[in-house]
Amino acid sequence: MSKKALIIVDVQNDFCPGGALAVPDGHLVVPIINELQDSGKYDLIVATQDWHPQGHGSFASAHEGKKPGDIVRLGGLPQILWPDHCVQHTPGAEFVSTLKTDDIAKIVQKGTDPEIDSYSGLNDNGHKKSTGLGEYLEAEGVNEVDIAGLATDYCVKFTAIDAAKFGFKTSVVVGGCRGVNLVPSDVDNALRSMRMAGVTLI
């Protein structure tokens, strides 16, 4: 029997207006994601949470003379530097208070290794280490996932592409996502990349 899961990506205070790395209109995903949770369409609901240690290598503050938006090498990969955000045990790392969390069966924390970033909810950026989310869903008998959250052009994109690679039938609920758009075409390019990876956009 096929089982379907909802993956809620990084709906955290720091990614919403007033947060350290606010995604424009990020808070607008919350009612849509709450509605998805209430829809009865999902056998399982899981969430990812950016959970960085202090001084994470993706933070501009960890690199002398660098500012957000600069690019360095981290874990052998090009890394965009960000403001400090979603630091473990800080209010910014908490889920947005209006997000329903009662039905979330598992929370997967990512970005915990200071030496490499993890945009995807399934792996770090170098695909050196799994977060365990793909394996957990597989063990639960899930073969289909819908994804919503923040941000379209980073963590949603990489979570969706990795989920499709893992073998899940993967869809992204575009209306339940918002993007950073550092460059104005980033969200459009992210949607194209997901489609090319076999992800359905709904």
Side-chain angles (χ1 to χ4, degrees):
M1 194 184 91
S2 71
K3 283 177 89 171
K4 189 172 187 177
L6 175 65
I7 303 175
I8 302 167
V9 177
D10 297 2
V11 182
Q12 293 165 261
N13 290 325
D14 270 345
F15 294 133
C16 287
L21 184 47
V23 177
D25 294 331
H27 62 298
L28 298 181
V29 306
V30 175
I32 294 162
I33 291 172
N34 286 345
E35 208 173 292
L36 288 170
Q37 293 189 74
D38 288 340
S39 68
K41 286 198 304 194
Y42 302 104
D43 302 292
L44 192 66
I45 296 169
V46 298
T48 68
Q49 185 178 28
D50 234 16
W51 194 248
H52 295 307
Q54 289 276 3
H56 191 272
S58 69
F59 296 167
S61 63
H63 303 268
E64 196 156 339
K66 297 291 183 188
K67 62 185 189 304
D70 287 349
I71 294 177
V72 297
R73 304 284 297 176
L74 187 65
L77 299 167
Q79 171 69 48
I80 297 175
L81 294 180
W82 304 104
D84 291 24
H85 65 279
C86 298
V87 174
Q88 296 173 6
H89 309 295
T90 63
E94 290 170 10
F95 291 121
V96 174
S97 62
T98 48
L99 179 73
K100 283 175 57 101
T101 55
D102 291 352
D103 297 325
I104 294 173
K106 187 175 181 67
I107 295 165
V108 172
Q109 293 173 333
K110 62 191 184 63
T112 56
D113 180 344
E115 301 301 320
I116 191 162
D117 211 355
S118 297
Y119 293 149
S120 165
L122 281 78
N123 299 287
D124 66 46
N125 288 359
H127 285 82
K128 295 179 177 126
K129 203 168 162 198
S130 157
T131 63
L133 176 57
E135 293 80 1
Y136 168 78
L137 292 172
E138 191 174 57
E140 290 292 323
V142 169
N143 50 13
E144 189 174 346
V145 297
D146 285 357
I147 297 169
L150 302 169
T152 314
D153 38 352
Y154 288 94
C155 298
V156 168
K157 175 177 99 169
F158 287 100
T159 299
I161 289 170
D162 277 356
K165 271 188 198 150
F166 200 95
F168 299 116
K169 184 180 174 195
T170 303
S171 301
V172 167
V173 183
V174 179
C177 305
R178 291 294 183 279
V180 179
N181 255 358
L182 281 180
V183 176
S185 57
D186 280 355
V187 167
D188 289 342
N189 289 336
L191 296 175
R192 194 175 304 116
S193 298
M194 288 189 269
R195 213 181 277 117
M196 284 170 65
V199 175
T200 302
L201 304 178
I202 53 177

